[in-house]
Amino acid sequence: PRPTPNTMETFFEDHAIPRYWQPGAASVTIVATSGTWPPVVAVAGYAPGIRAWKPSGTRGKVEFLPVHSVAETDGYRFSALTIEGGLLAAGDASPQGKVSLWDTDSWQRTQTLVTGHGPVTSMDMSETTLAVGTAKGTCHVYRRVPGAEMKPVFQSHLTVDSFPLLCVGLGVAGDDSELLVAHARGLNALSVWRLSDKRLVQRMARPTPANDVTEVATANLRAMYVRGSLMA
């Protein structure tokens, strides 16, 4: 049927975002490396794919060889990367907020996690835990199970704010308990959870206009400072 005059109709199915790819001129926006030397290197940018390199050679002369098995997945660009404990985690910008995991020894994809809360905006990973922040202000925490896949730590996701999570961080407190720090810009909310008993131990918030660049930057630096203090 012909559309009603003076009305607008959805052009893309299911409100999908139109995809684009400029393979010859796509800027790199994220670089992640492992914490050991020589490091594993992974990069992502505006092209809907990811590229990785593995080290080869002796300590004195190291070459980085491309890993061809880590490439485009489902056509969305990657918005967050982290490498830790022999795993590469890559969060994408799809509406489903998927996180793909690769083993950095075999370079086989081992698991795909689906947050279901919009694009991934931030990530952090320790030897045992993965924390994922999304554009809808939720945080999803997964625990490594020896010999098995990652499993959710909480029965439901953690809601920090309705705005994107700019920073999530994992650290260890003085009593050796593992902590999760998450920051969202809406209320400049900084929340801290203790993962051992899944309790919220601290929440600080200061109402600030979401488009106040100075306040948002200050709060994000504060979150990064708290994260760094925990990990020191």
Side-chain angles (χ1 to χ4, degrees):
R2 299 182 64 182
T4 304
N6 301 321
T7 61
M8 299 289 288
E9 292 187 348
T10 303
F11 184 79
F12 296 98
E13 295 182 359
D14 301 323
H15 304 285
I17 300 173
R19 305 175 186 179
Y20 63 93
W21 192 356
Q22 297 174 315
S27 299
V28 171
T29 57
I30 310 169
V31 177
T33 65
S34 59
T36 57
W37 180 263
V40 173
V41 181
V43 302
Y46 290 115
I50 181 174
R51 296 293 180 268
W53 291 264
K54 60 182 179 181
S56 176
T58 62
R59 187 178 182 86
K61 185 178 180 181
V62 178
E63 294 182 314
F64 291 90
L65 306 177
V67 179
H68 298 291
S69 60
V70 180
E72 181 185 359
T73 53
D74 59 1
Y76 288 95
R77 72 179 183 87
F78 287 92
S79 48
L81 297 176
T82 183
I83 302 174
E84 184 64 46
L87 279 183
L88 163 62
D92 72 12
S94 72
Q96 293 78 27
K98 296 179 182 179
V99 179
S100 300
L101 301 174
W102 281 273
D103 184 302
T104 57
D105 290 325
S106 65
W107 288 108
Q108 297 297 311
R109 189 194 301 227
T110 60
Q111 190 176 1
T112 298
L113 305 168
V114 181
T115 67
H117 287 82
V120 174
T121 54
S122 53
M123 282 197 311
D124 193 23
M125 185 163 56
S126 67
E127 290 283 343
T128 59
T129 310
L130 170 67
V132 182
T134 72
K136 293 187 178 180
T138 62
C139 187
H140 305 255
V141 187
Y142 304 90
R143 184 84 71 184
R144 270 178 159 179
V145 179
E149 297 182 334
M150 288 237 182
K151 303 292 184 182
V153 173
F154 297 89
Q155 291 184 350
S156 181
H157 60 268
L158 305 174
T159 300
V160 181
D161 204 334
S162 59
F163 284 87
L165 293 190
L166 300 180
C167 178
V168 293
L170 296 164
V172 180
D175 59 357
D176 293 331
S177 60
E178 191 173 19
L179 299 180
L180 165 69
V181 180
H183 167 243
R185 71 181 189 178
L187 295 175
N188 274 338
L190 183 64
S191 302
V192 183
W193 284 269
R194 186 168 52 228
L195 297 182
S196 58
D197 55 7
K198 305 175 184 179
R199 292 186 59 184
L200 178 67
V201 295
Q202 185 70 43
R203 179 177 172 84
M204 297 165 281
R206 182 173 60 182
T208 302
N211 58 355
D212 190 326
V213 177
T214 302
E215 286 295 334
V216 169
T218 301
N220 197 34
L221 287 173
R222 189 181 302 118
M224 294 175 68
Y225 172 77
V226 172
R227 173 193 171 190
S229 298
L230 291 172
M231 299 183 71

